[in-house]
Amino acid sequence: MTFASLNLIEPILHALQSEGYTTPTPIQQQAIPVVLEGRDLLGCAQTGTGKTAAFSIPLLQLMHEQQHPGKQIRALILTPTRELAIQIHESIGAYGKHTRLKHQVIFGGVSQVPQVQALRNGTDILVATPGRLLDLIQQGFVNLQQIQFFVLDEADRMLDMGFIHDVKKVVALLPAKKQTLFFSATMPPEIAGLANSLLRNPVKVEVTPVSSTAEKIEQQVFFVEKQDKRALLAHVLQDAAIRNVLVFTRTKHGADKVVKDLQKLQITAAAIHGNKSQNARQRALSAFKDGTLRVLVATDIAARGIDVDHLTHVINYELPNVPETYVHRIGRTGRAGASGIALSFCDSEERAYLKDIQRLIGLTIDVNRDHPYASGAASPVSTFKSVPNEQRPRHPQQRNGQGNRNHGNRQNQRQYSRGRQQPA
Ligand code: AMP
């Protein structure tokens, strides 16, 4: 399938070509025709599936065809984090660069003054986080009465992050007649209720259940004592083929400590977490994206929505206590069909977390023992009986409680990257 076969207009096709997109992802194939028909959409998809383009492209096309650029906000895209808001804004800029549609982004944690000034020039599409949007509405800088298109992105994260009340306040201000696109990776009851109240006869599209994302990513676990994790990280990073790596810690303090340790070793590293200013986070993210920063250390909240093309490695310096978080973390690599490698450091206190993770993903993760810091009990935490690769279940429904070992174990003594990756 091509984008042209989805009946997209020339200005958008041209922009997608410049982005290097050749084939629509499954969510794009399913969602674009539905949205172009004017139907409401319930999308069950997580970041990394191409969902931003799945809603942005048809919205841009519908709005372009209306030919009323400029003065009234006709589309509102609500998203939980500033990073996601910025990314959606940038994507809309890229896909819509040959249209005359205007778009703006507003989010909290920074001065509202430039945002208010930008809004004065008029915008067709507004990308917003809920708190800042409500602030600017209350001050009279934003009016939602002309909204025709409403996108609620990552609805379940809105709930997790305590924004659901704000979302409901925004929803109450929208006109009754509109087209709504509702995205959520999971459907807890409160989110299902919200979707029911918002959507009119929606078409449901669903891709990549959370646990199957993990299957295309090579995963290894290193059993190590807590106090040896810094030395292990330094050891792993001796592999020059790991050029761009996102390291996850559970706490902000932990993130800062890892950065300090790496800097002592002359490894370029920076942390992004809630205590960093928005500017510092943006600087770190840009440096990471352009390759001047080798290691980005992040907490889970800060990493939400971080989108780095071609990220090859994720390291779980600490395992998350919520197994779904593991899948979200490693899903930062292996984007849009690319392959990726996820290395996890597991100390004795984290073994229970590993068990939960393996149960969720349906795999027993390979143990890498070829490092100088292997802890005494370095045997696999087996949640599943091993089955050969070709019998690996592709979908959770096929699982029957069996999983497999992931790729060949210890195929490489010191190199934690695949052979195809050459050092710069
Ligand atoms: P998203 O799920 O919206 O966060 O998108 C994940 C990543 O996939 C982003 O880096 C997009 O630029 C990229 N992407 C989206 N659609 C396509 C496509 N059809 N072909 C190639 N890359 C894509």
Side-chain angles (χ1 to χ4, degrees):
M1 183 179 277
T2 61
F3 281 105
S5 66
L6 293 173
N7 292 326
L8 297 180
I9 51 175
E10 192 46 46
I12 292 179
L13 288 175
H14 186 187
L16 295 178
Q17 209 174 9
S18 337
E19 287 303 296
Y21 295 6
T22 51
T23 315
T25 65
I27 185 105
Q28 291 161 6
Q29 293 179 19
Q30 294 177 60
I32 291 173
V34 169
V35 181
L36 287 178
E37 267 177 34
R39 298 281 305 269
D40 279 5
L41 181 85
L42 176 60
C44 295
Q46 62 186 78
T47 299
T49 54
K51 75 177 155 71
T52 310
F55 64 74
S56 308
I57 290 171
L59 276 192
L60 283 163
Q61 176 148 332
L62 290 172
M63 295 177 76
H64 178 78
E65 287 174 339
Q66 290 183 338
Q67 295 291 357
H68 295 298
K71 288 288 169 218
Q72 312 274 15
I73 304 170
R74 286 180 288 150
L76 172 67
I77 300 168
L78 211 52
T79 191
T81 67
R82 5 181 175 188
E83 284 79 10
L84 270 171
I86 292 168
Q87 271 159 28
I88 294 170
H89 175 68
E90 286 172 354
S91 299
I92 288 179
Y95 311 144
K97 68 179 171 194
H98 303 299
T99 69
R100 293 179 51 207
L101 295 163
K102 294 188 189 173
H103 55 104
Q104 293 294 345
V105 61
I106 58 174
F107 46 81
V110 292
S111 160
Q112 70 170 46
V113 177
Q115 296 177 0
V116 168
Q117 268 162 1
L119 286 171
R120 287 216 171 93
N121 299 327
T123 188
D124 299 286
I125 304 169
L126 181 63
V127 185
T129 55
R132 175 56 57 93
L133 176 63
L134 284 171
D135 282 351
L136 296 189
I137 292 172
Q138 271 151 17
Q139 296 169 60
F141 295 120
V142 174
N143 179 330
L144 300 180
Q145 278 165 8
Q146 303 303 319
I147 292 292
Q148 299 170 24
F149 306 98
F150 174 50
V151 180
L152 182 58
D153 186 34
E154 308 235 336
D156 51 351
R157 293 271 169 90
M158 295 279 197
L159 183 67
D160 290 349
M161 296 175 78
F163 298 158
I164 200 72
H165 194 60
D166 283 351
V167 171
K168 288 180 179 168
K169 279 193 199 160
V170 172
V171 167
L173 298 170
L174 297 171
K177 190 170 176 294
K178 61 188 172 300
Q179 185 178 0
T180 302
L181 317 179
F182 190 109
F183 287 88
S184 196
T186 58
M187 277 289 161
E190 194 161 1
I191 293 305
L194 183 63
N196 265 339
S197 69
L198 259 173
L199 296 165
R200 301 279 163 265
N201 189 21
V203 175
K204 188 173 179 191
V205 300
E206 194 165 2
V207 294
T208 331
V210 68
S211 48
S212 69
T213 311
E215 292 176 5
K216 64 175 190 259
I217 297 167
E218 180 177 332
Q219 299 162 68
Q220 295 176 19
V221 61
F222 295 68
F223 291 115
V224 57
E225 292 307 331
K226 200 182 202 139
Q227 67 273 15
D228 290 332
K229 283 191 175 184
R230 15 186 317 203
L232 177 60
L233 182 62
H235 171 77
V236 166
L237 291 177
Q238 282 172 13
D239 181 353
I242 304 182
R243 278 183 283 169
N244 216 219
V245 56
L246 186 56
V247 175
F248 282 97
T249 59
R250 275 198 301 267
T251 64
K252 301 172 200 172
H253 177 68
D256 288 334
K257 240 172 125 271
V258 170
V259 168
K260 276 201 194 114
D261 291 341
L262 292 176
Q263 285 172 341
K264 277 186 208 146
L265 297 167
Q266 318 294 330
I267 294 172
T268 56
I272 51 165
H273 55 61
N275 291 357
K276 300 271 173 185
S277 70
Q278 178 62 10
N279 279 344
R281 291 204 223 180
Q282 279 311 120
R283 258 199 321 274
L285 197 54
S286 307
F288 189 58
K289 283 182 176 181
D290 72 24
T292 41
L293 188 69
R294 186 173 174 215
V295 184
L296 188 66
V297 187
T299 55
D300 292 301
I301 299 258
R304 278 182 185 166
I306 286 183
D307 184 13
V308 182
D309 285 338
H310 315 301
L311 177 66
T312 55
H313 289 77
V314 165
I315 294 180
N316 293 304
Y317 190 83
E318 288 159 339
L319 283 180
N321 51 4
V322 176
E324 284 81 4
T325 302
Y326 174 84
V327 181
H328 287 301
R329 285 181 178 186
I330 71 167
R332 307 285 160 203
T333 180
R335 284 288 172 94
S339 53
I341 296 174
L343 309 177
S344 298
F345 297 178
C346 177
D347 64 38
S348 45
E349 289 168 18
E350 294 171 314
R351 287 215 163 197
Y353 302 157
L354 180 64
K355 259 200 156 127
D356 290 344
I357 289 165
Q358 294 186 145
R359 191 168 301 122
L360 175 75
I361 63 176
L363 299 173
T364 298
I365 301 172
D366 271 354
V367 181
N368 187 320
R369 298 184 183 81
D370 300 310
H371 63 93
Y373 309 100
S375 66
S379 56
V381 174
S382 182
T383 315
F384 296 97
K385 206 169 101 191
S386 289
V387 294
N389 242 3
E390 54 276 16
Q391 288 174 27
R392 181 193 290 188
R394 304 309 306 171
H395 300 291
Q397 304 90 286
Q398 288 172 255
R399 245 184 228 133
N400 301 329
Q402 277 200 333
N404 74 301
R405 280 174 171 260
N406 195 11
H407 299 272
N409 198 6
R410 283 178 286 148
Q411 71 271 55
N412 207 322
Q413 299 298 305
R414 267 275 296 284
Q415 197 169 320
Y416 305 107
S417 49
R418 291 187 177 139
R420 62 176 171 72
Q421 288 146 3
Q422 299 302 321

